[in-house]
Amino acid sequence: MKDPAQSAAPIQKDRALKGSLGVTAIVFMVVAAASPLTVIGGAAPLGILLGNGAGFPSLYAISAVILLLFSVGLAAMTKVVPKPGAFFTFVGYGLGRRSGLAAAYLALLTYTTIQVSVHGYVGYILQVTVSGLGGPDIPWYVYSIAVIALVGLLGYHHIDLSSKVLGVLLVGEIGIVLGLVAAVVFSGNAPEGLSLAPFTMENLASGNPGVGLMFAIAAFIGFEATAIFRDEAKDPDRTIPRATYAAVIGIGVFYTLASWGLVMAVGPEGILGVPLDQAGSLIIVTTAQYLGVVGEVIINVLLITSMFACVLSFHNVLTRYQHSMANAGVLPARLGDVHAKHLSPHASSLVQTATAAVLIAAFAVLGLDPVLQVFTWFAGVATLAIAVLMAATSVAVIAYFRRNRSADARMWNTVIAPVLGFVGLVVSSAVIIAYFPIMVGDVDATGTPTFGAVSVFLLALVVVFPLIGWVQGAVLQRRSPATYADLTEAISS
């Protein structure tokens, strides 16, 4: 009998990830993380009903402009800091090692909360779909944990497998949404006709625009992860910037068009009459109306696969963040191992799978609603965290290039665009915080938002996690100066 130790795949001594991903493959990875159909079918209806109503589509366009400005500085940094750590690396180079560690832990919070929020939503969708077809009424969290296991299996293997799966699913979900928009435009059945009402100032400022902005920015989370795949990219100095711009522009145009089509399908006035508890099924009902039973079945299936693509993509991002941090000496070294056969950060993948499963189990024990609490609350945390992270990265870009002017002398790329992006992100963060209690239901009898226990706890996470990183940096500086010094290295011009 073969010795089990011999049959196990050896661990690759080289801890660097390798691959030949092109622009298209990376865009598929990050756009899949943005999960177009999940956004239009899940987040957009909530953004409309909890946010600013018919004016919600305009917030996608505004968010795209802000994030495109941010991307200019991000792309400039990817060319001079040839490392895959993204926020962790860029903030460290620009604002110092402790700040870089603070950013790393905030990034872990961001991607963990957005991933687990979608795990809650996909569990709910599977539950209602299976029970609606006459199957057993299994609790949502059982489905969520099953999906976590499948994601973990794919994440354990080479990333090329994940990128191919994501590519197929992404094409399908984009196709069905564009088909729905086309049906709304050309059928002549839009109840209130076609108009640009969603883009008027009156509708933009109506309701709770801060809540709407939170859902709009959340829809883009993942595009910035292009830099995470640097080591696995072909010609990364060209591939990463191009993939970043393509992702932001493509996501922004698609979401603006698709959400406009959804509003037109129901009507700018009629959309406000949709009950909140029917938000999760709005896209399915609307598709059935315009594309018939076949369209309804297709979009129901693709909505599930869209959420699966989303959590798979974020799983890949998280495992690579942990891998980069482990190789920097700030997480257990085991997480930096690379599988000899699959060339994947397999140990990091296993840890991330276990983390997601434990969180879903905890939410189940607490009795949280998978959509109005797990999905909404934790997507809100992720959105605020990513806005803060991007604002810090914008400052880091400006600071780095002020010290290293010869690395890139273009004012637009290294100063003007990052400053404009920073202003937009800070304003967005302030608005999200102001409206955060409404999103989690912390309001008094008159409907006035109050920062109750839930709001305070969730917002505190955005403070506590970077503080952990900052403290770890201080401890490393005192106890392990060599490790601390290696967190960032000087980049020659």
Side-chain angles (χ1 to χ4, degrees), residues 150-205:
L150 182 55
V151 166
L153 178 64
L154 286 172
Y156 189 90
H157 291 76
H158 195 283
I159 195 169
D160 283 346
L161 176 60
S162 292
S163 67
K164 290 173 183 176
V165 172
L166 292 172
V168 172
L169 299 180
L170 184 61
V171 169
E173 59 185 280
I174 289 177
I176 191 66
V177 172
L178 292 180
L180 174 60
V181 173
V184 172
V185 171
F186 297 111
S187 69
N189 294 328
E192 299 174 32
L194 303 178
S195 71
L196 296 178
F199 306 103
T200 64
M201 184 56 67
E202 178 184 1
N203 283 322
L204 171 62

Side-chain angles (χ1 to χ4, degrees), residues 72 402 405 408-419:
V72 174
R402 279 183 64 84
R405 295 180 187 276
D408 192 331
R410 298 171 296 175
M411 286 293 291
W412 170 256
N413 296 67
T414 61
V415 179
I416 299 174
V419 166

Side-chain angles (χ1 to χ4, degrees), residues 34-48 52-68 177 198-199 204 209 211-221 247-263 375 383:
S35 188
L37 188 52
T38 301
V39 168
I40 299 304
L46 290 171
I48 292 169
N52 60 330
F56 180 68
S58 60
L59 294 177
Y60 281 132
I62 292 172
S63 299
V65 171
I66 293 172
L67 298 179
L68 191 58
V177 172
F199 306 103
L204 171 62
V211 175
L213 184 63
M214 186 280 293
F215 281 105
I217 293 179
F220 288 81
I221 294 179
V248 176
I249 294 171
I251 291 171
V253 171
F254 178 81
Y255 286 159
T256 303
L257 174 64
S259 58
W260 171 83
L262 184 62
V263 171
F375 179 73
T383 305

Side-chain angles (χ1 to χ4, degrees), residues 11-73:
I11 302 303
Q12 186 174 319
K13 292 183 179 179
D14 183 359
R15 294 163 67 88
L17 297 171
K18 294 180 176 64
S20 57
L21 298 175
V23 173
T24 302
I26 294 176
V27 169
F28 273 161
M29 294 289 289
V30 298
V31 173
S35 188
L37 188 52
T38 301
V39 168
I40 299 304
L46 290 171
I48 292 169
L49 299 176
L50 294 175
N52 60 330
F56 180 68
S58 60
L59 294 177
Y60 281 132
I62 292 172
S63 299
V65 171
I66 293 172
L67 298 179
L68 191 58
L69 290 169
F70 162 78
S71 299
V72 174

Side-chain angles (χ1 to χ4, degrees), residues 85 93 120 137 171 197 223 281 330 354 361 436 450:
Y93 272 75
D137 188 12
V171 169
F223 87 87
S281 60
V330 297
F436 200 88
T450 59

Side-chain angles (χ1 to χ4, degrees), residues 236-288:
D237 286 346
R238 298 177 62 186
T239 300
I240 299 302
R242 290 180 179 180
T244 303
Y245 291 136
V248 176
I249 294 171
I251 291 171
V253 171
F254 178 81
Y255 286 159
T256 303
L257 174 64
S259 58
W260 171 83
L262 184 62
V263 171
M264 292 299 104
V266 184
E269 296 294 332
I271 197 79
L272 298 176
V274 175
L276 184 59
D277 60 1
Q278 295 179 18
S281 60
L282 179 61
I283 188 72
I284 297 174
V285 172
T286 304
T287 302

Side-chain angles (χ1 to χ4, degrees), residues 327-354:
N327 285 340
V330 297
L331 286 180
R334 185 78 172 85
L335 297 181
D337 288 342
V338 175
H339 198 282
K341 178 182 178 181
H342 303 306
L343 303 179
S344 64
H346 64 296
S348 180
S349 177
L350 290 173
V351 169
Q352 187 48 228
T353 299

